[in-house]
Amino acid sequence: MFRDALVWCLGAVAVIAVAAALALSRRNKAIAAKKRLAEAELTRQLSAADGQLAALSAELQRHRAEHDQTIADAEEAAEESTKAVLKGSARFLQSLAAEQLALLEEIQRKYGGHSVLGDLLEVSHANAQMARKAQGIAVMCGAPLGRRNRPASVYDVVRSAQGQIRNFRRVEIMQQTGFALKASAVSPVALAVAELLDNAASFSQQGSPIEVNFQRVQKNLCIVIDDAGVGMNDEDRQKASTLLSGDFSPRLSHLGNQPKFGFPVIGLLARQYGFRVDVTGVSRYGGVRAVVLLPEELWTEEEPAVPEEPQVSGIRGSVGRPEVVARTAHGLPRRGARQVPIASVPDQAGASPAPASEDAGRAVGRSLGAFQRGTLSGRNLASAPSEGSDDA
Amino acid sequence: MIDEPHEELELTSALVPLFVITNGRALPPDNTYERTTLVSAQEGAAASARTLSPEARRVLELVTEGFLSVAEVAAHTHLPLGIVRILLAQMEESGHIIARKPVPPAERVDREVLNAVLDGLKARFGA
């Protein structure tokens, strides 16, 4: 009886245990399934969030790019409008300076014999420097340079450049050449050389010389400018080369308060007109050697014709000269052989217009002895058939 | 921005300014190289003419074979008189030319002296 009861009890316990185990395992399974479900859900959410994040960051990137673009555009627009404003002013200044130079030249010729000439020369020096600055600004803004319509010897082009800097007396042109620049190259090369000379003068000691030489290297004509300054370090050289190549032109707004647009201007000119400028050399004084390299398209060998002075050589020549022609075609008083030399007796002609003046003049002439003989011998040797042709 | 078509600026002034031709030198004193001063090349000056500027060389050529007045040199070179005077001063300094001053006008004699002479003559010849 007791044994039966025990068996029953054990059986019941076993059943309960099995049932419990079953229940537990089922529950476990359910939990595991739930966990997987939850995990899957979370992963999905995570990836969705990731996607959103990516989209957002892409948008951010886009906004940033747009922003940069807008800034660049605004800068570009500002640069362009600055350039446009400056361009107009520069052109105005340029033409005014050119007009003034022409005017001054006229005045200098008009008052050539007056002591005011000395001051006029200084005024025109100041004006030439202003013209250079105006041209530089014009080039930076993309405005055209004033042009010359006549070829000129490269020597004269350098002299023209020389006149555009402050301490122009320091510049020494060591030789003259038979090379002429074509008309289209005259203005740009003059401006480029002027900027180089200005640089050479600014970065070397007061009073030290700046030497200019010409050299023909193969098909190129070189203008070599040596200064006795401190030279440049490697970084400066690198910068200068970049600017001079014309590949990179700094914005106007980046030029600063004391704008140095020498090199950018040269670079732009060089690129536009097809010459090259190099400043990496060392001069024989230890300063900078700047070389302007002009390809053969820009120059010719023969000296340009000098149209203004064809009659100058005419005061010498054959001995026979026409007797009584008052003036040459060019308005110069023509001297007959028997006429009183203008130089030795200047007052005679004006004082006595009577026919006796000639005799009186000759008498005075004779009395002047050696003085007279000297001038006459000079004149006879140097008489002129072409002092101005009669039919011209 | 539309660029309005503008004609190019043409530069009409002389390429080489006058103050460069004179190398910034001041005018010589007024009483030197007057219009009527005669100038001539120094002997052997032609040999060193290579060192001169084209303008100075032209002046030298003009006066090589005789004397020429400063005014004539200016007229023939088409340079203003003052510029020629500066060039001549430079060239005389460098020994390329010689200059001869014009004969000075007779000095004015004191009127009183003349009166005294006249009086003397009158007294003597009883005019």
Side-chain angles (χ1 to χ4, degrees), chain B residues 34-118:
Chain B
E34 290 166 275
R35 282 170 204 272
T36 49
T37 299
L38 294 175
V39 290
S40 177
Q42 187 82 266
E43 248 175 77
S48 56
R50 286 301 302 173
T51 59
L52 292 173
S53 70
E55 292 79 15
R57 216 156 47 193
R58 204 162 300 140
V59 171
L60 191 65
E61 274 167 23
L62 282 172
V63 300
T64 294
E65 287 178 30
F67 281 89
L68 209 58
S69 73
V70 172
E72 282 173 299
V73 172
H76 284 296
T77 52
H78 289 248
L79 288 170
L81 183 72
I83 303 298
V84 168
R85 292 178 63 224
I86 297 173
L87 282 181
L88 290 173
Q90 234 162 8
M91 290 167 75
E92 189 169 22
E93 222 168 73
S94 61
H96 285 98
I97 59 150
I98 48 172
R100 277 199 199 160
K101 278 189 159 257
V103 182
E107 276 181 33
R108 186 167 280 185
V109 185
D110 204 346
R111 198 185 167 91
E112 278 178 31
V113 176
L114 288 177
N115 276 334
V117 171
L118 189 61

Side-chain angles (χ1 to χ4, degrees), chain A residues 100-333:
Chain A
Q100 240 179 70
L101 276 178
L103 257 174
L104 272 168
E105 206 177 286
E106 217 172 279
I107 301 174
Q108 281 166 5
R109 294 196 179 274
K110 190 168 167 191
Y111 296 101
H114 199 276
S115 59
V116 78
L117 181 71
D119 301 328
L120 285 174
L121 292 176
E122 278 179 38
V123 175
S124 76
H125 179 209
N127 199 57
Q129 293 172 66
M130 190 184 82
R132 185 190 101 222
K133 223 44 176 183
Q135 281 183 317
I137 299 171
V139 169
M140 283 301 289
C141 303
L145 267 187
R147 95 193 127 76
R148 301 218 168 244
N149 52 10
R150 229 181 263 164
S153 77
V154 70
Y155 177 80
D156 279 350
V157 171
V158 173
R159 286 204 295 173
S160 159
Q162 190 189 350
Q164 299 176 31
I165 72 165
R166 181 163 285 278
N167 294 312
F168 72 96
R169 294 188 67 171
R170 286 170 56 194
V171 179
E172 276 177 62
I173 308 174
M174 308 306 281
Q175 73 215 92
Q176 295 175 30
T177 62
F179 302 115
L181 283 187
K182 291 184 179 166
S184 59
V186 171
S187 283
V189 173
L191 181 55
V193 172
E195 292 294 349
L196 288 173
L197 288 177
D198 186 49
N199 234 40
S202 319
F203 291 99
S204 58
Q205 254 183 0
Q206 279 290 325
S208 64
I210 298 162
E211 287 184 3
V212 181
N213 282 285
F214 305 107
Q215 233 167 18
R216 195 180 159 175
V217 182
Q218 287 159 12
K219 288 184 169 179
N220 299 314
L221 176 62
C222 297
I223 303 173
V224 183
I225 301 163
D226 284 338
D227 70 39
V230 285
M232 292 194 284
N233 60 32
D234 286 344
E235 196 191 339
D236 289 342
R237 259 195 209 115
Q238 186 74 39
K239 251 190 224 165
S241 297
T242 319
L243 288 173
L244 290 173
S245 69
D247 294 336
F248 165 73
S249 152
R251 286 169 184 267
L252 285 178
S253 45
H254 293 174
L255 286 174
N257 278 338
Q258 291 184 323
K260 289 200 182 81
F261 41 62
F263 282 170
V265 164
I266 299 170
L268 287 170
L269 285 174
R271 171 161 246 203
Q272 207 176 333
Y273 292 91
F275 57 90
R276 273 194 290 149
V277 178
D278 175 276
V279 292
T280 53
V282 177
S283 81
R284 55 198 168 106
Y285 302 111
V288 173
R289 162 168 286 187
V291 180
V292 181
L293 209 130
L294 305 162
E296 58 179 342
E297 295 86 51
L298 298 183
W299 52 274
T300 51
E301 259 191 59
E302 72 271 25
E303 196 75 27
V306 186
E308 284 181 55
E309 277 96 1
Q311 71 279 25
V312 165
S313 56
I315 36 165
R316 272 191 311 284
S318 85
V319 179
R321 61 166 84 198
E323 277 259 56
V324 220
V325 182
R327 290 196 169 263
T328 69
H330 305 276
L332 296 182

